[in-house]
């Protein structure tokens, strides 16, 4: 039974890493779709989210089976509970990539992001993609240097998000109201995506160090 | 030990009901703050969110302790895992009420919601408050009639949210761009709040019936 138990834990680990890989691919494609107003890529992200949801269901089912059948001890139990929470974060990151795809599809053949902000959104999407890749690596290796990098990238995303608020509020914002709304929704999806990435980083840090870093509410 | 185990499960149940009660109070106050541009109520919601977070931490800690020390069997295990997920939904609902409070405080002494939409937002906040009250009752009693009512209220919130999109995009929208952005953010917070309420309802329904109702992605 001991062998099977380790195998189950390994499969849960592999399942989370796999989910994170899908999420990284999804945000990459969603960023491309948004930048190039690419309907096909938008459709890919939307359709692909079902695969992430299915992976979550499979990982969670496995976690619950191990919890119920194996009676894991303290360290493994903490890991399993964290794994349940991390899979929820990853599933939500997949949703947010899908929301970007849906926004792109909704406005197609028009672009969601107007000219003066395309660079900002390219940068936000790139930071999110870097966060997702680091989250995948962090889950796999537990190298906490990656957690620091995720937090730093999240700070950059937060600053870009705040800048978008200022841009649509500025007197020289020469775009229609609907465009401002789209910009803010897209910006918020990208900002929330980064937030979930940092939430995963905090959970892994906690697993490794036993130290909990609370969610910095004041900055939201 | 059997006695203590039952007591622990009871305390987890009471903890979730208590959290849901705080969340119901928070969304009620957030709705009032938004409607009446009331800075004091906005501050109350913002400050009060820390209490919800602390409750979540306490409930989750208890759940993990029971999981680790008591080795619960199938039915209880499913309940405990659901409780972990429900506490995450409730915590997030608290965050969304806080976001409404923060938006009210940011614009104070100006109103966030312009005149023609105040009725819509009053209705959305009322539906969210009803959902939160029903969520509390549903967790407490597992009366699935409440789950149906939560889903119906969520449908209404979704329709009102879609109407807000149309309102800010309409040619006769005579408000500044920043106001449109605020309206859409507030609308999205209220819509997400209702979504989390239905997520709790789905989880309780699953616990009671064993039937999982998947998240209706197509409507988002």
């Amino acid at each position: 039974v001991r062998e099977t138990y380790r195998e189950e834990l390994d499969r849960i680990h592999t399942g989370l890493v796999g989910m994170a890989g899908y999420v990284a691919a999804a945000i990459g494609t969603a960023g491309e779709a948004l930048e190039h107003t690419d309907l096909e890529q938008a459709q890919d992200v939307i359709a692909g989210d079902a695969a992430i949801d299915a992976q979550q269901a499979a990982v969670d089912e496995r976690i619950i089976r191990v919890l119920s059948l194996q009676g894991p001890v303290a360290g493994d139990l903490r890991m399993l509970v964290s794994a349940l929470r991390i899979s929820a974060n990853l599933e939500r990151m997949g949703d947010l990539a899908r929301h970007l795809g849906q926004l792109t599809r909704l406005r197609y053949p028009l672009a969601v992001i107007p000219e003066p902000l395309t660079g900002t959104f390219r940068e936000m999407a790139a930071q999110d993609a870097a966060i997702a890749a680091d989250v995948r690596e962090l889950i796999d290796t537990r190298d906490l240097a990656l957690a620091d990098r995720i937090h730093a990238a999240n700070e950059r995303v937060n600053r870009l998000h705040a800048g978008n608020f200022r841009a649509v509020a500025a007197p020289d914002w020469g775009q229609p109201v609907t465009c401002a709304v789209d910009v803010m929704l897209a910006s918020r999806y990208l900002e929330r995506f980064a937030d979930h990435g940092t939430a995963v980083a905090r959970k892994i840090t906690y697993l490794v160090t036993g130290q909990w870093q609370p969610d910095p509410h004041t900055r939201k």
Side-chain angles (χ1 to χ4, degrees), chain A:
Chain A
V1 180
R2 217 61 207 157
E3 186 71 8
T4 316
Y5 176 59
R6 278 292 133 204
E7 277 171 21
E8 288 280 340
L9 293 188
D10 280 353
R11 278 194 198 127
I12 289 164
H13 180 259
T14 311
L16 283 182
V17 173
M19 263 188 96
Y22 267 72
V23 167
I27 194 67
T29 307
E32 291 281 317
L34 189 70
E35 184 178 346
H36 304 296
T37 315
D38 186 320
L39 183 61
E40 208 171 311
Q41 287 184 305
Q43 303 273 32
D44 282 351
V45 175
I46 297 164
D49 188 42
I52 296 172
D53 292 353
Q55 285 177 299
Q56 185 200 20
V59 169
D60 285 7
E61 203 177 291
R62 200 180 289 276
I63 293 168
I64 294 166
R65 197 167 59 225
V66 173
L67 283 172
S68 71
L69 297 180
Q70 315 275 7
V73 291
D76 287 349
L77 181 84
R78 198 164 69 159
M79 189 278 282
L80 289 163
V81 170
S82 295
L84 264 184
R85 289 172 171 158
I86 288 169
S87 87
N89 286 125
L90 293 173
E91 189 272 334
R92 189 70 198 135
M93 291 167 90
D95 283 351
L96 291 163
R98 173 169 53 80
H99 288 336
L100 285 171
Q102 286 169 320
L103 196 54
T104 302
R105 184 174 67 179
L106 180 70
R107 296 303 173 208
Y108 184 85
L110 300 177
V112 173
I113 307 302
E115 185 54 57
L117 291 177
T118 49
T120 307
F121 276 84
R122 192 186 309 121
E123 177 62 16
M124 287 182 90
Q127 294 293 337
D128 273 8
I131 287 171
D134 281 349
V135 160
R136 186 194 164 284
E137 188 79 3
L138 175 62
I139 294 171
D140 199 16
T141 65
R142 296 199 180 180
D143 172 0
L144 294 188
L146 293 162
D148 292 338
R149 210 158 75 179
I150 290 165
H151 291 300
N154 181 49
E155 290 297 318
R156 283 192 287 278
V157 171
N158 284 341
R159 275 197 297 275
L160 293 166
H161 180 55
N164 288 334
F165 264 95
R166 285 193 300 274
V168 301
D172 64 348
W173 169 261
Q175 309 287 338
V177 169
T178 43
C179 178
V181 170
D182 284 352
V183 161
M184 289 319 303
L185 283 178
S187 187
R188 178 149 173 89
Y189 296 149
L190 289 162
E191 181 258 341
R192 288 293 303 153
F193 185 97
D195 260 1
H196 282 284
T198 62
V200 174
R202 281 199 307 274
K203 281 159 196 160
I204 303 270
T205 303
Y206 175 63
L207 274 179
V208 173
T209 66
Q211 299 283 311
W212 182 248
Q213 304 165 292
D215 189 12
H217 271 164
T218 44
R219 268 187 279 128
K220 286 212 199 116

